Amino acid sequence: MTRKIIHLDMDCFFAAIEVRDNPELRGHPVAVGGASDRRGVLTTCNYEARAFGIRSAMPTFKALKQCPHLIVVPVHFDAYRRESRRVRSLMEHFSSIIEPLSLDEAYLDVTHHDRPASSIASDLRAMIYSTTGLTASAGIASNKLLAKVASDWEKPDGQFEIRPEAVNGFMQQLPVRKVWGIGPVAAGKLQDQGIATCGQLQGMATLKLQQLFGRFGTELYDLCRGQDDRPVETHRPRKSLSTECTFSTNLQTFEACRKRLEPLVEEVLEDLLHRPPGAGVSKIFLKLKFANFSKTTVERTGLKPSRKNYTHLLAEGFGRSGQPVRLIGVGVRFAESPPEKEIQLTLNFDAGHPL
Ligand code: TTP
Ligand code: MG
């Protein structure tokens, strides 16, 4: 099945929060970072400042030389973490398969959503804006590599979708530096070979790629063709496993629901095959959301996850409301769940110290 991945990236995240919270900064070049002594570094800056060539990780004194009227505000990590959590919880409206990459960036897998990924992305961005006053950009594609590249394409406050039929054309022109895993060193090696775009890289034999990059060379063969099958990884030990589908038209009858239930059950069973042994199922459950936005969950301890058992749960849940159904979810809860780890937030600087 073709996957539907959204990469969401907040626009000049720290700076946008500072400007929102201090409206007198609006319209001025603003950067967030350390003092202007030799050690201070900028974490980021707004787009007005970028017009002057100001960038993340630039020493503050250098930035001020380049743009003397730049307003440098100190970092407020608590505020950024708080906004990050708010954005994360909005994402959870659309998918439970979320992989945060940093405070302001995450992948969402919306494969099992009935709606087009691009309309989910625009709803999510609108929700983020109305809830937080911050803008976000999104990339939509069939894999993580392409989605991440795409989220930069219409930045700020935009989104871009790379449709499967457009992948080849897109990759031809894409600079190699945009590919996940190609940093300045690898890009330099390729430049020595006269290679600047992924299209040119596609002409390079696997063997040559392996000679230049070792094991990564094999991956690069796929990546430069726009192929990437890394899953969106949630990092959280799972307490449950489930899948759900929101339907574009509400289902009116039990029979219609039963038909749509089948592929969902198949999928849960398939996913269970990949679980490590010993992760015992303690319960099966089925969730319904109705046309009037009411919802119900039916759970059974000790029943095996099977098509027949889920159909029983469906009958019970459907019978609880006379309403048409807009969402069906099915899943299992595991008997033993290790304590949930905190989401790993990765930032490329030390958050505990002044910059
Ligand atoms: P980015 O998403 O790279 O940058 P951004 O959100 O500021 O701008 P863009 O509109 O291009 O997405 O990083 C997110 C936040 O992480 C950023 O606001 C500040 C912080 N950060 C650093 O502290 N140091 C860095 O070197 C980078 C790149 C980011
Ligand atoms: Mg960002």
mmCIF file of all heavy atoms in Angstrom, residues 208-238:
data_model
loop_
_atom_site.group_PDB
_atom_site.id
_atom_site.type_symbol
_atom_site.label_atom_id
_atom_site.label_comp_id
_atom_site.label_asym_id
_atom_site.label_seq_id
_atom_site.Cartn_x
_atom_site.Cartn_y
_atom_site.Cartn_z
ATOM 1 N N LYS A 208 30.264 1.765 -7.436
ATOM 2 C CA LYS A 208 30.971 3.038 -7.278
ATOM 3 C C LYS A 208 30.465 3.751 -6.015
ATOM 4 O O LYS A 208 31.248 4.303 -5.232
ATOM 5 C CB LYS A 208 30.729 3.890 -8.528
ATOM 6 C CG LYS A 208 31.371 5.247 -8.505
ATOM 7 C CD LYS A 208 32.827 5.161 -8.904
ATOM 8 C CE LYS A 208 33.471 6.545 -8.820
ATOM 9 N NZ LYS A 208 34.904 6.503 -8.790
ATOM 10 N N LEU A 209 29.143 3.716 -5.830
ATOM 11 C CA LEU A 209 28.558 4.341 -4.639
ATOM 12 C C LEU A 209 29.085 3.688 -3.369
ATOM 13 O O LEU A 209 29.394 4.359 -2.388
ATOM 14 C CB LEU A 209 27.025 4.228 -4.677
ATOM 15 C CG LEU A 209 26.298 5.164 -5.636
ATOM 16 C CD1 LEU A 209 24.829 4.765 -5.788
ATOM 17 C CD2 LEU A 209 26.388 6.604 -5.148
ATOM 18 N N GLN A 210 29.212 2.363 -3.425
ATOM 19 C CA GLN A 210 29.722 1.646 -2.256
ATOM 20 C C GLN A 210 31.180 1.988 -1.999
ATOM 21 O O GLN A 210 31.604 2.134 -0.852
ATOM 22 C CB GLN A 210 29.542 0.148 -2.430
ATOM 23 C CG GLN A 210 28.105 -0.275 -2.178
ATOM 24 C CD GLN A 210 27.818 -1.672 -2.697
ATOM 25 O OE1 GLN A 210 28.629 -2.260 -3.414
ATOM 26 N NE2 GLN A 210 26.651 -2.191 -2.364
ATOM 27 N N GLN A 211 31.951 2.123 -3.077
ATOM 28 C CA GLN A 211 33.364 2.499 -2.916
ATOM 29 C C GLN A 211 33.495 3.846 -2.226
ATOM 30 O O GLN A 211 34.328 4.050 -1.358
ATOM 31 C CB GLN A 211 34.049 2.589 -4.273
ATOM 32 C CG GLN A 211 34.535 1.251 -4.784
ATOM 33 C CD GLN A 211 34.908 1.339 -6.260
ATOM 34 O OE1 GLN A 211 34.864 2.411 -6.871
ATOM 35 N NE2 GLN A 211 35.259 0.208 -6.833
ATOM 36 N N LEU A 212 32.622 4.769 -2.619
ATOM 37 C CA LEU A 212 32.713 6.123 -2.074
ATOM 38 C C LEU A 212 32.154 6.242 -0.662
ATOM 39 O O LEU A 212 32.679 6.968 0.164
ATOM 40 C CB LEU A 212 31.945 7.106 -2.975
ATOM 41 C CG LEU A 212 32.611 7.535 -4.276
ATOM 42 C CD1 LEU A 212 31.654 8.396 -5.095
ATOM 43 C CD2 LEU A 212 33.882 8.331 -3.987
ATOM 44 N N PHE A 213 31.053 5.508 -0.409
ATOM 45 C CA PHE A 213 30.321 5.753 0.844
ATOM 46 C C PHE A 213 30.127 4.519 1.714
ATOM 47 O O PHE A 213 29.396 4.574 2.705
ATOM 48 C CB PHE A 213 28.942 6.357 0.541
ATOM 49 C CG PHE A 213 29.009 7.654 -0.203
ATOM 50 C CD1 PHE A 213 28.658 7.728 -1.539
ATOM 51 C CD2 PHE A 213 29.464 8.802 0.430
ATOM 52 C CE1 PHE A 213 28.734 8.921 -2.231
ATOM 53 C CE2 PHE A 213 29.543 10.000 -0.250
ATOM 54 C CZ PHE A 213 29.177 10.069 -1.592
ATOM 55 N N GLY A 214 30.740 3.404 1.373
ATOM 56 C CA GLY A 214 30.563 2.193 2.165
ATOM 57 C C GLY A 214 29.104 1.738 2.140
ATOM 58 O O GLY A 214 28.453 1.830 1.101
ATOM 59 N N ARG A 215 28.619 1.322 3.312
ATOM 60 C CA ARG A 215 27.251 0.778 3.355
ATOM 61 C C ARG A 215 26.195 1.803 2.970
ATOM 62 O O ARG A 215 25.171 1.464 2.391
ATOM 63 C CB ARG A 215 26.953 0.244 4.760
ATOM 64 C CG ARG A 215 27.013 -1.253 4.765
ATOM 65 C CD ARG A 215 26.281 -1.929 5.872
ATOM 66 N NE ARG A 215 25.527 -1.068 6.765
ATOM 67 C CZ ARG A 215 25.415 -1.298 8.067
ATOM 68 N NH1 ARG A 215 26.019 -2.316 8.603
ATOM 69 N NH2 ARG A 215 24.698 -0.511 8.820
ATOM 70 N N PHE A 216 26.447 3.058 3.330
ATOM 71 C CA PHE A 216 25.484 4.106 2.996
ATOM 72 C C PHE A 216 25.291 4.212 1.477
ATOM 73 O O PHE A 216 24.235 4.634 0.995
ATOM 74 C CB PHE A 216 25.944 5.443 3.593
ATOM 75 C CG PHE A 216 25.035 6.598 3.279
ATOM 76 C CD1 PHE A 216 23.699 6.581 3.671
ATOM 77 C CD2 PHE A 216 25.504 7.701 2.578
ATOM 78 C CE1 PHE A 216 22.851 7.645 3.378
ATOM 79 C CE2 PHE A 216 24.670 8.765 2.276
ATOM 80 C CZ PHE A 216 23.341 8.741 2.676
ATOM 81 N N GLY A 217 26.320 3.780 0.723
ATOM 82 C CA GLY A 217 26.231 3.810 -0.736
ATOM 83 C C GLY A 217 25.028 3.022 -1.248
ATOM 84 O O GLY A 217 24.352 3.440 -2.193
ATOM 85 N N THR A 218 24.759 1.897 -0.607
ATOM 86 C CA THR A 218 23.632 1.055 -1.028
ATOM 87 C C THR A 218 22.310 1.794 -0.785
ATOM 88 O O THR A 218 21.411 1.776 -1.621
ATOM 89 C CB THR A 218 23.618 -0.265 -0.215
ATOM 90 O OG1 THR A 218 24.965 -0.652 0.015
ATOM 91 C CG2 THR A 218 22.848 -1.345 -0.920
ATOM 92 N N GLU A 219 22.244 2.453 0.383
ATOM 93 C CA GLU A 219 21.030 3.229 0.683
ATOM 94 C C GLU A 219 20.868 4.371 -0.301
ATOM 95 O O GLU A 219 19.768 4.674 -0.745
ATOM 96 C CB GLU A 219 21.131 3.830 2.089
ATOM 97 C CG GLU A 219 20.604 2.937 3.181
ATOM 98 C CD GLU A 219 20.812 3.577 4.543
ATOM 99 O OE1 GLU A 219 20.155 4.578 4.841
ATOM 100 O OE2 GLU A 219 21.671 3.058 5.290
ATOM 101 N N LEU A 220 21.999 4.984 -0.608
ATOM 102 C CA LEU A 220 21.977 6.144 -1.482
ATOM 103 C C LEU A 220 21.408 5.791 -2.863
ATOM 104 O O LEU A 220 20.752 6.613 -3.504
ATOM 105 C CB LEU A 220 23.412 6.673 -1.615
ATOM 106 C CG LEU A 220 23.582 8.133 -1.965
ATOM 107 C CD1 LEU A 220 22.724 9.022 -1.080
ATOM 108 C CD2 LEU A 220 25.054 8.514 -1.821
ATOM 109 N N TYR A 221 21.663 4.561 -3.282
ATOM 110 C CA TYR A 221 21.133 4.111 -4.570
ATOM 111 C C TYR A 221 19.611 4.304 -4.590
ATOM 112 O O TYR A 221 19.048 4.799 -5.567
ATOM 113 C CB TYR A 221 21.495 2.633 -4.785
ATOM 114 C CG TYR A 221 21.022 2.100 -6.117
ATOM 115 C CD1 TYR A 221 21.833 2.197 -7.246
ATOM 116 C CD2 TYR A 221 19.759 1.529 -6.251
ATOM 117 C CE1 TYR A 221 21.401 1.736 -8.474
ATOM 118 C CE2 TYR A 221 19.316 1.064 -7.484
ATOM 119 C CZ TYR A 221 20.143 1.174 -8.588
ATOM 120 O OH TYR A 221 19.700 0.731 -9.805
ATOM 121 N N ASP A 222 18.938 3.939 -3.500
ATOM 122 C CA ASP A 222 17.485 4.113 -3.407
ATOM 123 C C ASP A 222 17.108 5.575 -3.176
ATOM 124 O O ASP A 222 16.197 6.098 -3.809
ATOM 125 C CB ASP A 222 16.915 3.283 -2.245
ATOM 126 C CG ASP A 222 16.953 1.795 -2.554
ATOM 127 O OD1 ASP A 222 16.943 1.445 -3.753
ATOM 128 O OD2 ASP A 222 17.000 0.995 -1.603
ATOM 129 N N LEU A 223 17.816 6.200 -2.245
ATOM 130 C CA LEU A 223 17.438 7.565 -1.860
ATOM 131 C C LEU A 223 17.470 8.518 -3.053
ATOM 132 O O LEU A 223 16.568 9.337 -3.219
ATOM 133 C CB LEU A 223 18.363 8.078 -0.744
ATOM 134 C CG LEU A 223 18.258 7.351 0.607
ATOM 135 C CD1 LEU A 223 19.332 7.851 1.577
ATOM 136 C CD2 LEU A 223 16.876 7.521 1.233
ATOM 137 N N CYS A 224 18.502 8.391 -3.901
ATOM 138 C CA CYS A 224 18.586 9.356 -5.003
ATOM 139 C C CYS A 224 17.509 9.110 -6.060
ATOM 140 O O CYS A 224 17.296 9.924 -6.939
ATOM 141 C CB CYS A 224 19.992 9.390 -5.623
ATOM 142 S SG CYS A 224 20.407 7.945 -6.591
ATOM 143 N N ARG A 225 16.824 7.991 -5.940
ATOM 144 C CA ARG A 225 15.664 7.721 -6.802
ATOM 145 C C ARG A 225 14.340 8.081 -6.114
ATOM 146 O O ARG A 225 13.269 7.780 -6.601
ATOM 147 C CB ARG A 225 15.652 6.247 -7.213
ATOM 148 C CG ARG A 225 16.743 5.928 -8.221
ATOM 149 C CD ARG A 225 16.976 4.447 -8.435
ATOM 150 N NE ARG A 225 17.927 4.254 -9.522
ATOM 151 C CZ ARG A 225 19.235 4.475 -9.434
ATOM 152 N NH1 ARG A 225 19.774 4.877 -8.310
ATOM 153 N NH2 ARG A 225 20.016 4.304 -10.495
ATOM 154 N N GLY A 226 14.466 8.655 -4.937
ATOM 155 C CA GLY A 226 13.257 9.049 -4.199
ATOM 156 C C GLY A 226 12.607 7.880 -3.482
ATOM 157 O O GLY A 226 11.435 7.938 -3.127
ATOM 158 N N GLN A 227 13.384 6.797 -3.278
ATOM 159 C CA GLN A 227 12.822 5.626 -2.599
ATOM 160 C C GLN A 227 13.362 5.548 -1.176
ATOM 161 O O GLN A 227 14.560 5.733 -0.956
ATOM 162 C CB GLN A 227 13.191 4.354 -3.359
ATOM 163 C CG GLN A 227 12.488 4.277 -4.703
ATOM 164 C CD GLN A 227 13.177 3.330 -5.673
ATOM 165 O OE1 GLN A 227 14.145 2.662 -5.315
ATOM 166 N NE2 GLN A 227 12.701 3.303 -6.911
ATOM 167 N N ASP A 228 12.455 5.288 -0.249
ATOM 168 C CA ASP A 228 12.837 5.283 1.160
ATOM 169 C C ASP A 228 11.746 4.531 1.906
ATOM 170 O O ASP A 228 10.601 4.948 1.900
ATOM 171 C CB ASP A 228 12.919 6.743 1.646
ATOM 172 C CG ASP A 228 13.133 6.863 3.143
ATOM 173 O OD1 ASP A 228 13.565 5.883 3.774
ATOM 174 O OD2 ASP A 228 12.879 7.958 3.673
ATOM 175 N N ASP A 229 12.089 3.387 2.513
ATOM 176 C CA ASP A 229 10.997 2.696 3.209
ATOM 177 C C ASP A 229 11.141 2.698 4.725
ATOM 178 O O ASP A 229 10.554 1.878 5.418
ATOM 179 C CB ASP A 229 10.744 1.282 2.642
ATOM 180 C CG ASP A 229 12.016 0.485 2.616
ATOM 181 O OD1 ASP A 229 12.945 0.879 3.335
ATOM 182 O OD2 ASP A 229 12.082 -0.524 1.878
ATOM 183 N N ARG A 230 11.879 3.657 5.256
ATOM 184 C CA ARG A 230 11.926 3.766 6.720
ATOM 185 C C ARG A 230 10.535 4.072 7.251
ATOM 186 O O ARG A 230 9.868 4.983 6.749
ATOM 187 C CB ARG A 230 12.847 4.923 7.140
ATOM 188 C CG ARG A 230 14.327 4.682 6.917
ATOM 189 C CD ARG A 230 15.111 5.961 7.164
ATOM 190 N NE ARG A 230 14.710 7.020 6.229
ATOM 191 C CZ ARG A 230 14.805 8.314 6.486
ATOM 192 N NH1 ARG A 230 15.268 8.735 7.648
ATOM 193 N NH2 ARG A 230 14.444 9.211 5.590
ATOM 194 N N PRO A 231 10.100 3.345 8.275
ATOM 195 C CA PRO A 231 8.772 3.645 8.818
ATOM 196 C C PRO A 231 8.804 4.878 9.723
ATOM 197 O O PRO A 231 9.865 5.261 10.218
ATOM 198 C CB PRO A 231 8.450 2.396 9.654
ATOM 199 C CG PRO A 231 9.782 1.845 10.036
ATOM 200 C CD PRO A 231 10.747 2.206 8.933
ATOM 201 N N VAL A 232 7.662 5.481 9.918
ATOM 202 C CA VAL A 232 7.541 6.550 10.905
ATOM 203 C C VAL A 232 7.534 5.884 12.270
ATOM 204 O O VAL A 232 6.687 5.045 12.560
ATOM 205 C CB VAL A 232 6.235 7.353 10.691
ATOM 206 C CG1 VAL A 232 6.038 8.376 11.799
ATOM 207 C CG2 VAL A 232 6.275 8.030 9.326
ATOM 208 N N GLU A 233 8.535 6.212 13.105
ATOM 209 C CA GLU A 233 8.701 5.492 14.367
ATOM 210 C C GLU A 233 8.316 6.351 15.555
ATOM 211 O O GLU A 233 8.829 7.449 15.717
ATOM 212 C CB GLU A 233 10.151 5.019 14.500
ATOM 213 C CG GLU A 233 10.415 3.939 13.469
ATOM 214 C CD GLU A 233 11.743 3.269 13.648
ATOM 215 O OE1 GLU A 233 12.758 3.908 13.319
ATOM 216 O OE2 GLU A 233 11.763 2.122 14.105
ATOM 217 N N THR A 234 7.444 5.813 16.363
ATOM 218 C CA THR A 234 6.891 6.620 17.440
ATOM 219 C C THR A 234 7.774 6.665 18.678
ATOM 220 O O THR A 234 7.549 7.480 19.548
ATOM 221 C CB THR A 234 5.515 6.086 17.856
ATOM 222 O OG1 THR A 234 5.699 4.722 18.242
ATOM 223 C CG2 THR A 234 4.535 6.118 16.708
ATOM 224 N N HIS A 235 8.765 5.782 18.769
ATOM 225 C CA HIS A 235 9.690 5.730 19.914
ATOM 226 C C HIS A 235 9.036 5.297 21.213
ATOM 227 O O HIS A 235 9.702 5.136 22.202
ATOM 228 C CB HIS A 235 10.366 7.080 20.188
ATOM 229 C CG HIS A 235 11.224 7.546 19.063
ATOM 230 N ND1 HIS A 235 12.204 6.779 18.516
ATOM 231 C CD2 HIS A 235 11.224 8.708 18.380
ATOM 232 C CE1 HIS A 235 12.790 7.445 17.551
ATOM 233 N NE2 HIS A 235 12.206 8.617 17.449
ATOM 234 N N ARG A 236 7.742 5.192 21.262
ATOM 235 C CA ARG A 236 7.120 4.848 22.534
ATOM 236 C C ARG A 236 6.831 3.366 22.557
ATOM 237 O O ARG A 236 6.280 2.830 21.601
ATOM 238 C CB ARG A 236 5.773 5.545 22.686
ATOM 239 C CG ARG A 236 5.871 7.025 22.791
ATOM 240 C CD ARG A 236 4.452 7.528 22.683
ATOM 241 N NE ARG A 236 4.423 8.960 22.624
ATOM 242 C CZ ARG A 236 3.698 9.695 23.455
ATOM 243 N NH1 ARG A 236 2.974 9.112 24.378
ATOM 244 N NH2 ARG A 236 3.680 10.990 23.341
ATOM 245 N N PRO A 237 7.177 2.707 23.672
ATOM 246 C CA PRO A 237 6.775 1.318 23.767
ATOM 247 C C PRO A 237 5.255 1.275 23.715
ATOM 248 O O PRO A 237 4.594 2.092 24.366
ATOM 249 C CB PRO A 237 7.284 0.875 25.131
ATOM 250 C CG PRO A 237 8.018 2.021 25.693
ATOM 251 C CD PRO A 237 7.785 3.226 24.875
ATOM 252 N N ARG A 238 4.749 0.385 22.948
ATOM 253 C CA ARG A 238 3.308 0.433 22.748
ATOM 254 C C ARG A 238 2.530 -0.228 23.868
ATOM 255 O O ARG A 238 2.880 -1.307 24.310
ATOM 256 C CB ARG A 238 2.959 -0.262 21.445
ATOM 257 C CG ARG A 238 3.243 0.588 20.253
ATOM 258 C CD ARG A 238 2.758 -0.152 19.058
ATOM 259 N NE ARG A 238 2.619 0.745 17.926
ATOM 260 C CZ ARG A 238 2.228 0.322 16.745
ATOM 261 N NH1 ARG A 238 1.928 -0.950 16.551
ATOM 262 N NH2 ARG A 238 2.113 1.158 15.756
#
